[in-house]
Amino acid sequence: MHKEFNEMKTDVDQGRTPTSTVRELLRWFGARRRRTGIVKKIQSELDDAGIITSPDFTKVWIDAEITFKKAHTVAAATTPAGEHPSDSKATEAPREASFLISMLEAANRGVISVQPQDSVEKAITLMLAHDFSQLAVMTNERTLKGTISWKTIGKRLSHENNLKEAKDAMEAAFALEDSEPLFKATKQIIDHEFVFVRSSVDQKVTGIVTATDLSEQFQSLSEPFLLIGQIENQVRKMLHEKFSVSELQEACSDADPSRREKIQSVADLTFGEYLRLFQKPEKWDKLDLSVDRGVFCDEMNSVREIRNDVMHFDPDGIEDEHYDQLRRFSRLLDELDSLGQ
């Protein structure tokens, strides 16, 4: 564990409320993303130290600031008779990072706004300067009066309205709290083209999420699944009709005989079982591949580990080097396929 975590604990014990970012907290534990295992480890360390983060480090943007505070003591009366408060931890579901709209960078970037009485020219200039399609119309950081956009300006001009102030081209704005689940918010974003995001703590408008932001987020979440699916298809093609059913069944763990019986084709194998086939010299020789078996299996094992992380659908996505690993291995399989034709 990083010494900074211990320094933070000392600060809290002495009555201070130190701050950090989620990314920095992860770094203290040698991690860069909120994987299930690392979230569980961090939460366990925080629980043992009697510390909480505000807001919850699993429910905010990875670069959001969090404050470390002393947790409130749970009264013994709130637990069943004869049970120690700490005993109840064993029955809690494992903590995982949530998919909330607050996880998006756009929801935390702040907003560029104009006052209702500001000129339309000012709004247009700001949209051009920042390459925005819309602006918030606000009287202060919490009071959202509406929105002005190229679309609302065009509508008003088409009716030959005399536009002078931002309020003359303003329409109602739609806002969601940052605690809104991302997938539930998706329909609202699509319907309205964009939504403003409010802090559930102090009601400040913290950002605006557009349909473009949403598509970029889903691309980052879905691309690893597509790459892994492509790799699995390439592996199945490589193994097709090379082994008998009994040989395929040998890739299954001896500890699970019922699983072995279910394997009747290459498509029934797991990714780990594919790897187990490649690792056996006698099976490798049957594939007649002109590459080093050890290097190939190391690369494939790295893909297997990435695959396990991706299947947890981490809201922080995967690292760039993991994307590179998936693409690189897929290219290798393509090249081996072309050489074999």
Side-chain angles (χ1 to χ4, degrees):
M1 189 191 307
H2 200 280
K3 66 176 184 179
E4 291 181 51
F5 185 86
N6 289 324
E7 291 172 356
M8 176 275 293
K9 289 197 297 183
T10 300
D11 281 345
V12 173
D13 286 341
Q14 293 176 355
R16 292 187 285 271
T17 53
T19 62
S20 178
T21 65
V22 176
R23 192 184 297 276
E24 185 69 6
L25 173 61
L26 292 170
R27 188 182 67 78
W28 296 348
F29 288 81
R32 287 186 285 181
R33 294 292 185 269
R34 282 170 285 192
R35 309 289 188 229
T36 300
I38 197 64
V39 166
K40 183 177 179 181
K41 178 176 176 59
I42 292 173
Q43 192 60 56
S44 177
E45 292 291 340
L46 290 170
D47 288 344
D48 289 345
I51 295 171
I52 61 170
T53 66
S54 179
D56 189 326
F57 77 95
T58 67
K59 296 181 178 180
V60 292
W61 181 38
I62 194 169
D63 286 312
E65 184 175 86
I66 53 176
T67 301
F68 299 95
K69 301 177 180 180
K70 201 70 178 171
H72 296 297
T73 303
V74 179
T78 62
T79 60
E83 181 183 346
H84 189 276
S86 62
D87 295 338
S88 62
K89 288 183 185 178
T91 63
E92 292 180 0
R95 181 78 68 87
E96 294 188 22
S98 306
F99 285 89
L100 306 179
I101 195 170
S102 59
M103 308 296 290
L104 303 183
E105 180 182 355
N108 297 271
R109 266 190 241 148
V111 293
I112 302 295
S113 65
V114 290
Q115 296 272 342
Q117 68 275 16
D118 284 340
S119 68
V120 171
E121 285 80 7
K122 180 177 180 179
I124 289 174
T125 304
L126 285 170
M127 286 193 287
L128 288 171
H130 294 275
D131 194 23
F132 289 165
S133 297
Q134 63 282 311
L135 294 175
V137 180
M138 306 176 67
T139 53
N140 57 56
E141 59 189 357
R142 292 182 177 83
T143 306
L144 180 62
K145 290 294 187 179
T147 181
I148 183 172
S149 66
W150 296 121
K151 186 176 180 179
T152 63
I153 292 171
K155 280 183 180 180
R156 298 301 192 277
L157 288 175
S158 68
H159 290 85
E160 299 183 357
N161 284 349
N162 186 21
L163 299 184
K164 291 184 179 180
E165 299 180 341
K167 64 183 180 183
D168 298 329
M170 183 178 73
E171 286 188 347
F174 191 83
L176 295 172
E177 286 205 348
D178 57 9
S179 56
E180 186 79 6
L182 177 57
F183 296 114
K184 186 176 178 182
T186 298
K187 186 177 186 307
Q188 304 290 352
I189 297 169
I190 292 172
D191 288 346
H192 297 275
E193 298 182 5
F194 59 90
V195 299
F196 293 96
V197 181
R198 287 187 182 278
S199 166
S200 54
V201 176
D202 57 18
Q203 291 298 297
K204 290 180 181 178
V205 178
T206 60
I208 177 173
V209 178
T210 67
T212 299
D213 295 320
L214 194 64
S215 64
E216 290 174 353
Q217 178 68 18
F218 280 110
Q219 179 181 352
S220 71
L221 290 172
S222 63
E223 187 177 0
F225 284 90
L226 298 176
L227 281 169
I228 288 169
Q230 177 174 297
I231 288 170
E232 291 186 346
N233 286 334
Q234 291 170 305
V235 170
R236 282 194 287 268
K237 182 179 180 182
M238 183 180 291
L239 298 176
H240 183 61
E241 294 185 344
K242 295 291 174 59
F243 302 104
S244 66
V245 170
S246 60
E247 287 177 311
L248 294 176
Q249 290 175 339
E250 289 175 14
C252 184
S253 170
D254 292 334
D256 191 359
S258 61
R259 163 90 181 118
R260 181 186 294 260
E261 294 175 3
K262 295 177 182 177
I263 297 174
Q264 297 298 314
S265 71
V266 170
D268 297 324
L269 296 176
T270 65
F271 200 88
E273 289 164 347
Y274 295 145
L275 178 59
R276 202 170 291 133
L277 269 179
F278 287 117
Q279 287 172 331
K280 295 181 178 180
E282 67 277 13
K283 301 294 189 298
W284 176 262
D285 291 341
K286 280 194 169 189
L287 297 172
D288 195 26
L289 298 174
S290 300
V291 292
D292 184 82
R293 179 173 61 89
V295 173
F296 181 93
C297 289
D298 286 345
E299 293 288 315
M300 188 170 181
N301 188 52
S302 295
V303 170
R304 181 190 63 81
E305 292 174 348
I306 295 169
R307 181 187 184 279
N308 290 342
D309 280 340
V310 168
M311 290 304 127
H312 284 100
F313 211 60
D314 179 8
D316 296 329
I318 67 172
E319 289 86 356
D320 289 342
E321 57 263 36
H322 288 172
Y323 274 116
D324 292 340
Q325 174 69 35
L326 294 176
R327 295 185 184 111
R328 186 170 64 246
F329 191 69
S330 181
R331 282 197 303 271
L332 172 61
L333 295 177
D334 269 342
E335 290 170 4
L336 292 176
D337 182 51
S338 64
L339 290 172
Q341 291 177 355

